[in-house]
């Protein structure tokens, strides 16, 4: 079970909202959110409602001023709890949409998709086991996206048309 507390102002000031699961729209609880504290578990937070927009992975800890830390211009508007996974990890990445082109199966972290697989584009994926973070730059840098088990036929149609995924990491033992 995860627990995250959101605060309207920086440094854990102002009204607060305690969350122990997913929340698609925090506007009915807080007018804004500029700091948070993760007491247990792992969460993805989003700068738009319904789990859209920029996202950031948060593990146990204090985030007194996440806006300057993550270089966001807006506050957190929704969050999703990441369930702990104890089994194996398996992901297939594809060069093109609809699972076409070059395909590689991954079972561990990859610092650079280009270096390891000689793949310059990753346009779709199938997460078979585990929960994964994909990053727009090598070495787990830049914007990130959370992928849970399922099929993702087109990153472009998901709203990631101007984003190229260049590294990926399993979410494990970090929560």
């Amino acid at each position: 079970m995860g627990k995250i507390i959101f605060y309207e102002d920086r440094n854990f000031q102002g009204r607060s909202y305690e969350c122990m699961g997913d929340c698609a729209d925090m506007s009915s609880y807080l007018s804004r959110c500029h700091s948070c504290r993760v007491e247990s578990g792992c969460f993805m937070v989003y700068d738009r409602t319904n789990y859209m927009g920029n996202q950031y992975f948060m593990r146990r800890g204090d985030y007194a001023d996440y806006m300057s830390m993550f270089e966001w211009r807006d506050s957190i508007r929704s969050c999703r709890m990441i369930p702990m996974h104890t089994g194996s990890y398996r992901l297939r990445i594809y060069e093109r949409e609809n699972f076409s082109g070059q395909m590689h199966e991954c079972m561990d972290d990859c610092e650079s998709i280009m270096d390891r697989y000689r793949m310059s584009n990753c346009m779709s994926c199938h997460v078979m086991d585990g929960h994964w973070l994909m990053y727009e730059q090598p070495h787990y840098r830049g914007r990130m996206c959370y992928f849970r088990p399922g099929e993702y036929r087109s990153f472009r149609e998901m709203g990631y048309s101007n984003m190229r995924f260049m590294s990926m990491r399993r979410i494990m033992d970090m929560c």
Side-chain angles (χ1 to χ4, degrees):
M1 181 65 77
K3 181 178 176 183
I4 187 169
I5 304 168
F6 297 100
Y7 299 87
E8 283 190 328
D9 299 318
R10 289 171 177 81
N11 298 313
F12 318 109
Q13 301 297 308
R15 287 186 4 194
S16 65
Y17 168 63
E18 189 175 296
C19 186
M20 297 189 351
D22 296 352
C23 181
D25 185 359
M26 293 176 31
S27 62
S28 59
Y29 306 107
L30 299 172
S31 60
R32 63 187 181 276
C33 175
H34 292 291
S35 61
C36 67
R37 176 174 286 131
V38 179
E39 292 193 353
S40 60
C42 293
F43 290 83
M44 288 303 292
V45 296
Y46 303 81
D47 68 354
R48 292 179 39 206
T49 60
N50 298 314
Y51 321 111
M52 302 292 287
N54 291 315
Q55 49 188 289
Y56 195 81
F57 174 75
M58 292 186 163
R59 68 182 89 183
R60 187 181 185 122
D62 293 343
Y63 300 86
D65 184 8
Y66 75 85
M67 289 184 69
S68 61
M69 190 168 104
F70 307 149
E71 298 178 8
W72 281 8
R73 290 183 204 104
D74 204 356
S75 70
I76 296 171
R77 298 289 180 203
S78 58
C79 75
R80 175 167 275 153
M81 188 181 79
I82 301 172
M84 197 60 196
H85 179 78
T86 56
S88 62
Y89 288 78
R90 221 170 77 187
L91 161 77
R92 286 187 181 148
I93 57 172
Y94 297 85
E95 182 180 28
R96 295 193 199 109
E97 295 178 339
N98 294 312
F99 314 123
S100 62
Q102 201 179 146
M103 182 276 292
H104 295 281
E105 188 166 299
C106 312
M107 298 172 91
D108 60 353
D109 300 348
C110 177
E111 287 189 0
S112 174
I113 292 171
M114 180 63 174
D115 290 348
R116 184 185 286 181
Y117 301 116
R118 302 290 181 247
M119 216 168 111
S120 61
N121 257 339
C122 177
M123 301 298 294
S124 58
C125 75
H126 180 192
V127 178
M128 291 163 295
D129 294 305
H131 298 262
W132 296 77
L133 290 176
M134 294 182 81
Y135 298 80
E136 71 176 337
Q137 296 173 16
H139 308 287
Y140 320 116
R141 296 178 191 241
R143 292 181 298 170
M144 64 181 73
C145 293
Y146 166 55
F147 291 90
R148 55 188 177 180
E151 294 183 346
Y152 302 89
R153 294 185 168 278
S154 173
F155 295 154
R156 181 182 49 81
E157 289 178 7
M158 292 171 60
Y160 305 129
S161 57
N162 58 351
M163 196 168 162
R164 288 176 51 189
F165 295 111
M166 301 305 293
S167 58
M168 58 197 163
R169 173 179 278 167
R170 298 164 293 167
I171 300 175
M172 57 185 282
D173 298 324
M174 295 194 282
C175 301

